[in-house]
Amino acid sequence: MKKLAPVVLFTYNRLRHLRITINALKENDMAGESILFIFSDGPRDDEDESRVNAVRDFLSRINGFKDVIVVNRDRNWGLADNIVDGVTRVINEYGRAIVLEDDIVTSPYFLRFMNEALRIYEGEDRVMHISGYMFPIKKEGLPGAFFIKPTTCWGWATWKEAWKAFNREAKKWIGYFNEEEIRDFNLNHAYDYWEQLRLNYEGKIKTWAIFWYLSVYAVGGLSLHPRDSLTRNIGFDKRGTHCRELPFHRDELSYNSEWDFPREIKESSLARNRLEEYFNKIKGLSQKSAEIPNFYANLRDLIKRMIYHEGL
């Protein structure tokens, strides 16, 4: 295998999560050959400063990788700006990058999957995104890996050429697609991805991942996903900026070490249907369970975190 892609990790003030994330990443069979970049965001206020300092003390002692390069932000950038700048800096230098946040636990074979996929599909213009995560959809009949249109951000990777398409101008996108395209973008309205664009456009939120999905979708790009998720989010404990505690949410972490990567580059209709089915089922649960305190709000937060990873 050619030189491994660097891993880019973003962190803020959650030392406990970060320790678990780093320890899991160190267990990957390619960790010792991988360069790890860590972008540590600065504190928002005096109250956060001690927690950020504790994180940075831990970062200064990390080992187990080919090299560890820590970038300590001198101010609070916020999650979206920190990620966009960090990914752009690393990918422009190395041509590829694997991206994580500090509450993503990885399978020991996560780096293998990502690097193999980056190697296999390098130069394939339609393949723009590699995901380590997959929603808990029904698996019967699905291959070990497949293409769908939506991107996910709980452990992902891309190439410099694909990342050049990234455009974060909400004004451009708000009138870019027609109704049929928006319906397709929203997986036949199984989930309202478009709402995230609208909220960004109105200045009510500031996220980044919806713009990556928009950028990929606009040029007909596809995202490779594993059938069995190689990442798990541990951030549902009220410590994330936009995240409530979600005790009912549990993802299984795959320990598969081999995958049948698809040769034909096209969206899997079966995987697409299963994803739509999953989102529609969740919508149905939320409607039937409206009387349960906080259920709908928690469920809404869960899906937003799964798709856009707003937290930290």
Side-chain angles (χ1 to χ4, degrees):
M1 182 176 292
K2 65 184 295 185
K3 193 174 181 180
L4 301 183
V7 182
V8 192
L9 187 145
F10 296 90
T11 190
Y12 181 40
N13 65 359
R14 296 184 294 173
L15 180 57
R16 183 176 68 84
H17 297 78
L18 177 63
R19 286 183 185 275
I20 297 170
T21 294
I22 290 292
N23 288 338
L25 189 60
K26 285 171 68 172
E27 292 298 315
N28 271 254
D29 62 351
M30 293 181 170
E33 307 164 62
S34 301
I35 298 173
L36 175 63
F37 284 86
I38 305 175
F39 288 82
S40 169
D41 204 3
R44 290 193 193 94
D45 49 39
D46 292 341
E47 185 179 342
D48 269 345
E49 188 169 2
S50 62
R51 291 194 290 268
V52 170
N53 287 339
V55 163
R56 291 180 174 180
D57 178 65
F58 172 72
L59 295 180
S60 69
R61 294 179 278 109
I62 291 175
N63 56 30
F65 300 90
K66 183 178 181 180
D67 195 8
V68 179
I69 301 167
V70 179
V71 178
N72 291 323
R73 302 293 197 184
D74 59 2
R75 59 179 175 83
N76 183 256
W77 285 54
L79 178 65
D81 290 346
N82 194 24
I83 288 180
V84 172
D85 177 78
V87 170
T88 301
R89 286 172 58 175
V90 174
I91 212 166
N92 282 345
E93 181 177 354
Y94 290 86
R96 295 164 293 156
I98 298 168
V99 186
L100 288 166
E101 296 176 42
D102 65 355
D103 55 4
I104 302 299
V105 173
T106 54
S107 158
Y109 304 106
F110 167 77
L111 290 180
R112 179 172 297 280
F113 177 86
M114 304 304 274
N115 278 287
E116 286 188 11
L118 286 168
R119 174 184 58 83
I120 290 170
Y121 298 107
E122 185 173 17
E124 295 285 356
D125 292 343
R126 287 201 69 198
V127 184
M128 299 180 68
H129 177 94
I130 309 297
S131 177
Y133 177 77
M134 188 58 213
F135 296 94
I137 60 177
K138 291 181 181 178
K139 299 177 182 180
E140 293 80 9
L142 289 172
F146 48 77
F147 293 109
I148 54 176
K149 293 177 182 177
T151 60
T152 55
C153 54
W154 287 3
W156 60 282
T158 192
W159 303 263
K160 180 179 179 180
E161 287 303 310
W163 188 246
K164 285 179 181 179
F166 179 70
N167 188 309
R168 202 173 160 198
E169 297 178 19
K171 186 177 181 179
K172 168 188 174 177
W173 295 118
I174 201 70
Y176 192 87
F177 299 111
N178 60 36
E179 287 189 15
E180 183 178 345
E181 289 168 328
I182 292 172
R183 181 181 181 86
D184 183 55
F185 182 79
N186 280 344
L187 298 176
N188 290 314
H189 296 314
Y191 185 80
D192 192 2
Y193 287 89
W194 196 256
E195 179 193 25
Q196 283 285 311
L197 171 60
R198 181 181 57 78
L199 292 174
N200 274 276
Y201 178 72
E202 294 173 355
K204 295 179 179 178
I205 61 172
K206 186 178 183 180
T207 60
W208 69 274
I210 185 60
F211 295 103
W212 179 225
Y213 177 26
L214 284 161
S215 301
V216 170
Y217 184 87
V219 295
L222 293 172
S223 304
L224 181 78
H225 286 70
R227 177 191 61 209
D228 306 303
S229 189
L230 294 161
T231 67
R232 181 167 61 88
N233 189 293
I234 58 170
F236 299 108
D237 62 355
K238 298 185 180 180
R239 292 173 182 262
T241 302
H242 302 283
C243 172
R244 291 182 177 87
E245 187 172 13
L246 296 166
F248 56 84
H249 174 62
R250 295 289 184 271
D251 274 325
E252 294 182 2
L253 197 63
S254 170
Y255 288 85
N256 289 347
S257 60
E258 295 183 358
W259 307 270
D260 295 324
F261 291 102
R263 295 184 180 181
E264 188 175 7
I265 298 173
K266 70 173 186 178
E267 184 176 36
S268 166
S269 59
L270 179 59
R272 161 86 177 226
N273 290 339
R274 294 282 174 78
L275 189 55
E276 291 180 8
E277 179 183 77
Y278 171 76
F279 284 136
N280 282 322
K281 180 179 179 181
I282 286 181
K283 282 198 301 185
L285 285 173
S286 67
Q287 292 165 0
K288 291 178 181 178
S289 306
E291 70 278 6
I292 300 177
N294 296 324
F295 182 90
Y296 183 75
N298 284 349
L299 197 57
R300 188 178 181 84
D301 278 354
L302 166 62
I303 299 303
K304 285 185 176 180
R305 286 275 288 174
M306 288 171 125
I307 297 171
Y308 310 111
H309 207 174
E310 295 178 276
L312 289 192

